[in-house]
Amino acid sequence: MKYTNVLLSSVIVLGSMGTLSTASSSFHTSDKIAHIAAGSTSVNASTYQNISKFEKTISSNKIVWKGDNTSITANILKLDAAADFEQNIIDTIAVTHGKEKHTLQMGDFEVKLLDITSIAQSPSNEWIAIQVEKSAGSNLILVNLKTGKYTIINERLEKLGKQNVETISSYNWSPKEDIIAFSYGNTEKSTLAIYDTKKDSVVYLPRATNYISTGLILWHKNGKNMDYISEYPSDQWILFRYDTGSKKVKPVKRITKKEFQQWFKLDKYPTK
C-alpha cells in the first residue's frame, strides 16, 4: 500500500494549500452540495472499469513500468551541477509494445522530468498514458503505440488558451473508447476535461463548484458515466458523477478519507 498512502497524503496536502472562492454562477449547485450527507455505502467495484495495473521497479539509472505486453523504461541521467531535487532527471523514455518500440527524447521537452508516477493503457491498446513528475507539478503524455507520436496534454491545453496547467493530477481512459478524462490546474484550482485521441479535441466538464483538487477519476463500465472525487471546501471530499449523454455533473455523496482509500484501490497505482 506504499503508493496508495503516499498519493492519498499528497492529494490531501495539495488541497489544504488551496483557497476557495465561490462563483455566483455555481450558487444553486453549491447550495445542493451543502445539503448532501456523508454516505457510508461501501464501494461497488462491479460498477467501475477494470484497470490493468503496471508494476514499477526502480534502480540507480532506470525506472521501469511493466504490463502484460507493454513496458515503459526511463533512463536516468545524473547532473552533478544541478540542484539536489533535479540531479537525477529522465534522459529518454522507451515505450515497448509487442514488437513495436519508440523512444522519447527528453531534450525535446520544455521542462526536466524527474519520475514516472503512473501508467495507463487505452482499451484498444493503441495508446499509453504516462504521468511524469517535474519540479513543479506533473505532465500527462499520451503516446500512440503504433506510430510513436505523442501529445503532452498540458501543452495541448495551453495551445487552446488555458492557463495555469501546472499539473495533471488524476486521469483515466474510458473503457469503451480511446478518450481520456483528466483533471488539471494548480494547487488552488482543479478543472476536468476529456480528450478525444481520434478527433484531437477537448471537452470541458461543467464545474459543479470551485474544486480545489481532484484525487480520483473512475469511469463506469458502460462508458456513459464517470465518477470523480474532488475537494470542496478545504479537506472535504465529494463524489461527483458526470453523464456523457446529458453532459451534466451532479454531486452524489460526501466522502471520508477512509472511503477515499477504498475507491483509490480501484485505480491504476500499484499496491506493493
Side-chain angles (χ1 to χ4, degrees), residues 59-63 74-92 105-107 112-114:
S59 65
S60 60
N61 62 349
K62 290 185 187 299
I63 301 168
N75 289 308
I76 304 300
L77 178 65
K78 186 174 179 60
L79 301 176
D80 294 328
D84 290 346
F85 68 94
E86 286 188 339
Q87 281 192 348
N88 296 312
I89 66 168
I90 295 175
D91 182 37
T92 61
Q105 301 290 339
M106 295 302 99
K112 296 176 181 177
L113 304 180
L114 309 178

Side-chain angles (χ1 to χ4, degrees), residues 41-51 173-176 217-228 239-242 252 263 266:
T41 306
S42 60
V43 178
N44 185 0
S46 64
T47 299
Y48 298 102
Q49 64 192 124
N50 295 317
I51 301 174
W173 293 100
S174 162
K176 298 295 184 179
I217 295 173
L218 288 173
W219 289 84
H220 290 210
K221 286 183 176 179
N222 60 19
K224 297 179 180 179
N225 297 310
M226 182 186 76
D227 288 357
Y228 60 93
L239 175 71
F240 293 93
R241 181 159 296 156
Y242 174 68
V252 178
W263 260 278
L266 304 178

Side-chain angles (χ1 to χ4, degrees), residues 86-141:
E86 286 188 339
Q87 281 192 348
N88 296 312
I89 66 168
I90 295 175
D91 182 37
T92 61
I93 297 178
V95 180
T96 303
H97 177 67
K99 295 181 180 180
E100 299 286 344
K101 184 175 181 179
H102 310 285
T103 301
L104 282 62
Q105 301 290 339
M106 295 302 99
D108 298 336
F109 286 61
E110 296 179 358
V111 296
K112 296 176 181 177
L113 304 180
L114 309 178
D115 191 13
I116 297 178
T117 47
S118 68
I119 299 287
Q121 198 158 323
S122 72
S124 69
N125 293 323
E126 288 188 14
W127 292 84
I128 194 84
I130 307 173
Q131 185 184 37
V132 289
E133 178 187 343
K134 49 188 181 179
S135 56
S138 62
N139 283 359
L140 186 64
I141 307 170

Side-chain angles (χ1 to χ4, degrees), residues 6 16 26 99 107 119 127 131 172 185-186 213 219 249 252 254-255:
V6 168
S16 65
S26 62
K99 295 181 180 180
I119 299 287
W127 292 84
Q131 185 184 37
N172 258 318
N186 52 29
S213 62
W219 289 84
V249 170
V252 178
R254 294 193 182 278
I255 300 294

Side-chain angles (χ1 to χ4, degrees), residues 228-244:
Y228 60 93
I229 298 176
S230 290
E231 184 186 16
Y232 168 83
S234 181
D235 292 331
Q236 296 186 38
W237 295 83
I238 297 173
L239 175 71
F240 293 93
R241 181 159 296 156
Y242 174 68
D243 186 312
T244 60

Side-chain angles (χ1 to χ4, degrees), residues 192-223:
L192 287 97
I194 297 174
Y195 176 74
D196 188 321
T197 59
K198 292 183 179 179
K199 298 178 180 179
D200 185 30
S201 61
V202 179
V203 173
Y204 301 98
L205 273 63
R207 289 170 60 82
T209 189
N210 291 326
Y211 318 125
I212 299 172
S213 62
T214 298
L216 181 69
I217 295 173
L218 288 173
W219 289 84
H220 290 210
K221 286 183 176 179
N222 60 19

Side-chain angles (χ1 to χ4, degrees), residues 22 26 98 119 150 187 223-224 226 255 260 267 269:
T22 304
S26 62
I119 299 287
Y150 64 87
T187 56
K224 297 179 180 179
M226 182 186 76
I255 300 294
F260 186 99
D267 208 356
Y269 302 96

